[in-house]
Amino acid sequence: MKFTISSVLSAASAAILVALSVVQVAALPISADSPVTGLQKRTISGINNYSCKLTTAHPRPLILVHSTLLTVDSWWEFAPVLIKNGYCVFGLTYGLYPTIPGFGGLASVESSAQELATFADNVLTQMNVTQVDIVGHSQGGILARYWMKYLEGAGKVYRHIGISPITHGTTLDSLATWAKAWGVFAPLSAFFNVIAPSFTEMVSGSTFMTKLNDGGDTASGVIFSNIATKYDEVVTPYTTCFQEDTGVTNVVLQNLCALSLNEHLTMVNSFVVLRFVLNQLDPSNAKTANCLNLLSA
């Protein structure tokens, strides 16, 4: 069954999205009793447990970094499975902004990257290690890159997995491109800079995106992999999720399972994506990611 998740967004959030673009968010539910409600408060048992014991099999803490408009609660599908598989899992809600309470990823991307840097450094200290692994969704897929490049995070990330990461910015289905051509992008930017600064910073060609990718879109010594969906209506074109440097693993979800209809926000509600993440975290014990994972990773 195909359905939209716009009904689960608050009126304030919906107003912002409609003002920037008319976006219908559709996805295939991963199970009959799992409605896509990523903004709903959920308890994730075992996350941010600093007493968790690292092992030879999983020697690094794993930090989950959510998408714009979502919070750490959006990992309610992934985190329990990762914890059950023996990972010490951590996560934060970043980018809260006073204009729209309760929604993450709205503050400037630079300030959100600093939040991640502070959080990750604390995890490193508390867990007595020198490196972490990162799984980042959307905006969450670029914050660690900024941390590594500009905020003294170099050498602190071993593996980085992007889920529909906004690697090279977005055209918002060409709406941003048209807005610039019509001369209305600047006034729209002024509006969004007041209520949600991150929005315009993630548009292709912005000052922030140019700075982020200056000199290349990877970091030395880090193992990078990304998964994108061809139904992405937020990061467009969806191929801009991918990093261009050699050695990066870039995968389209529908090449793993043509039945996966997940769009941008619901990528973290896909067990096919979760199987991809598990395989990247532990390649020696990888299992084929395909349509058999629609109901379970």
Side-chain angles (χ1 to χ4, degrees):
M1 177 180 178
K2 197 174 181 181
F3 62 100
T4 65
I5 69 165
S6 58
S7 59
V8 306
L9 299 176
S10 73
S13 169
I16 292 174
L17 290 176
V18 170
L20 190 60
S21 62
V22 180
V23 175
Q24 293 298 314
V25 184
L28 179 70
I30 57 172
S31 65
D33 58 353
S34 308
V36 180
T37 52
L39 297 174
Q40 180 178 337
K41 287 287 184 181
R42 295 177 182 273
T43 299
I44 302 176
S45 179
I47 197 171
N48 292 332
N49 175 14
Y50 289 94
S51 297
C52 181
K53 302 300 181 184
L54 298 170
T55 64
T56 302
H58 306 308
R60 292 172 299 278
L62 174 60
I63 299 180
L64 306 180
V65 194
H66 64 78
S67 168
T68 308
L69 288 176
L70 301 185
T71 68
V72 67
D73 300 317
S74 65
W75 297 106
W76 65 276
E77 292 277 10
F78 280 28
V81 176
L82 291 164
I83 292 167
K84 185 177 180 179
N85 276 267
Y87 292 94
C88 293
V89 178
F90 298 84
L92 75 161
T93 293
Y94 68 86
L96 294 172
Y97 208 63
T99 52
I100 312 172
F103 292 83
L106 301 181
S108 74
V109 187
E110 245 180 305
S111 66
S112 293
Q114 183 60 67
E115 286 186 68
L116 174 60
T118 301
F119 181 84
D121 282 338
N122 182 60
V123 171
L124 289 167
T125 299
Q126 294 289 329
M127 299 300 289
N128 194 29
V129 292
T130 59
Q131 289 186 310
V132 298
D133 291 334
I134 299 281
V135 177
H137 178 207
S138 187
Q139 182 184 164
I142 63 173
L143 296 186
R145 288 181 49 218
Y146 194 88
W147 166 43
M148 288 185 277
K149 196 167 189 175
Y150 294 109
L151 300 174
E152 300 182 356
K156 296 180 180 180
V157 176
Y158 179 81
R159 185 182 298 277
H160 187 283
I161 303 169
I163 300 173
S164 295
I166 195 159
T167 304
H168 296 283
T170 178
T171 67
L172 287 170
D173 275 336
S174 299
L175 289 175
T177 305
W178 282 107
K180 291 176 181 178
W182 293 337
V184 298
F185 186 78
L188 282 174
S189 295
F191 169 72
F192 283 108
N193 287 342
V194 172
I195 64 169
S198 67
F199 281 21
T200 54
E201 290 178 335
M202 292 184 287
V203 170
S204 299
S206 71
T207 300
F208 175 83
M209 295 308 304
T210 300
K211 180 179 180 181
L212 175 66
N213 292 306
D214 182 39
D217 58 9
T218 59
S220 178
V222 181
I223 302 170
F224 286 98
S225 54
N226 304 287
I227 185 166
T229 172
K230 68 180 183 180
Y231 300 122
D232 202 317
E233 80 295 356
V234 176
V235 181
T236 57
Y238 72 88
T239 51
T240 59
C241 292
F242 297 145
Q243 291 163 288
E244 298 168 351
D245 284 10
T246 58
V248 176
T249 299
N250 292 314
V251 172
V252 177
L253 172 59
Q254 286 71 31
N255 289 345
L256 301 180
C257 175
L259 299 178
S260 292
L261 303 180
N262 299 80
E263 47 65 66
H264 187 78
L265 288 182
T266 60
M267 288 288 278
V268 290
N269 299 107
S270 164
F271 284 132
V272 181
V273 174
L274 177 53
R275 171 43 56 190
F276 171 83
V277 169
L278 287 166
N279 289 348
Q280 296 304 305
L281 288 171
D282 189 4
S284 62
N285 291 297
K287 300 176 182 178
T288 302
N290 56 32
C291 291
L292 294 177
N293 300 123
L294 281 173
L295 298 179
S296 173

